[in-house]
Amino acid sequence: NVYGNVSWTDKPALTTSADGRDVYISFNGPNGGDPWMAVSHDFGATWSQTKVADSTLYYFAYDADVLHDGTVVFAESEIDYSGPGGAPVNQVRHHVFVSRNSGATWEDHVVDTVNVGEPCVAVGCGPDFYIGHDALSADDSGTLVLLYDGATTNLGPQQIFTRRSTDGGRTWGARVALSVAGENATSPAVESRG
């Protein structure tokens, strides 16, 4: 196990420096949904790992990027599964975890909080299938773009929203809706061309 004593449980995300020497993986576990970071500075030969939040809620890592200045940013959603039968309740918080020192320490910034959207009711589909997705990318100037899904009313249809940061994820601009209100939208993706 390259991660040592902690094994990931769901949806790990990986990003690397441009030369591939610095490798960063976020995952949750081992006994729940707490977010962890695994860091390697030798092309993945050796690893260290750090728990970046201690919570009763569940974190999903979805996307990450390394800026040209070495700043590492992971986009993650935090979900409360305390509803009947383990259903998601309350709100989804969309976070970015940021390291400005090659993974030695991590900042936690809540970018937005949205309502839990409508559940999936298809056979074999969990009620949380549509919720809690993030996508992140940075351009050559270091401007970050975060896309995420969420509802504006409890259990309502979701929209895809975006926010931008020009200071390495410290602060974020206003929420902008990218999808049509009243129609369920989920699982955004984004990639910068420069």
Side-chain angles (χ1 to χ4, degrees):
N1 182 344
V2 295
Y3 305 113
N5 295 327
V6 176
S7 60
W8 61 270
T9 58
D10 205 1
K11 300 192 178 47
L14 177 144
T15 191
T16 68
S17 58
D19 64 2
R21 175 177 300 278
D22 303 308
V23 185
Y24 305 92
I25 301 174
S26 184
F27 56 97
N28 57 30
N31 299 317
D34 290 333
W36 288 72
M37 299 294 177
V39 177
S40 174
H41 296 298
D42 54 12
F43 300 98
T46 61
W47 294 86
S48 64
Q49 49 195 9
T50 305
K51 186 178 187 180
V52 294
D54 192 13
S55 174
T56 59
L57 305 181
Y58 203 92
Y59 286 77
F60 290 102
Y62 275 102
D63 207 355
D65 210 340
V66 178
L67 283 62
H68 290 303
D69 69 1
T71 299
V72 185
V73 185
F74 278 87
E76 306 199 17
S77 59
E78 173 194 348
I79 299 173
D80 180 348
Y81 283 102
S82 64
V89 296
N90 301 322
Q91 297 174 317
V92 177
R93 290 181 190 89
H94 293 278
H95 296 250
V96 290
F97 289 101
V98 181
S99 179
R100 302 179 201 286
N101 54 10
S102 301
T105 61
W106 295 88
E107 305 165 9
D108 179 5
H109 300 276
V110 176
V111 178
D112 204 352
T113 301
V114 294
N115 288 295
V116 169
E118 62 185 53
C120 182
V121 295
V123 174
C125 182
D128 65 343
F129 184 77
Y130 296 134
I131 69 171
H133 303 99
D134 301 285
L136 176 80
S137 191
D139 65 16
D140 285 340
S141 69
T143 297
L144 287 162
V145 175
L146 177 70
L147 274 63
Y148 54 97
D149 50 25
T152 57
T153 59
N154 189 40
L155 301 178
Q158 294 193 138
Q159 287 183 265
I160 304 296
F161 299 107
T162 186
R163 287 187 181 223
R164 294 179 184 266
S165 175
T166 58
D167 60 6
R170 289 180 181 91
T171 61
W172 294 82
R175 174 199 288 181
V176 176
L178 299 180
S179 62
V180 177
E183 296 180 12
N184 199 43
T186 184
S187 303
V190 65
E191 186 60 40
S192 173
R193 295 183 63 194

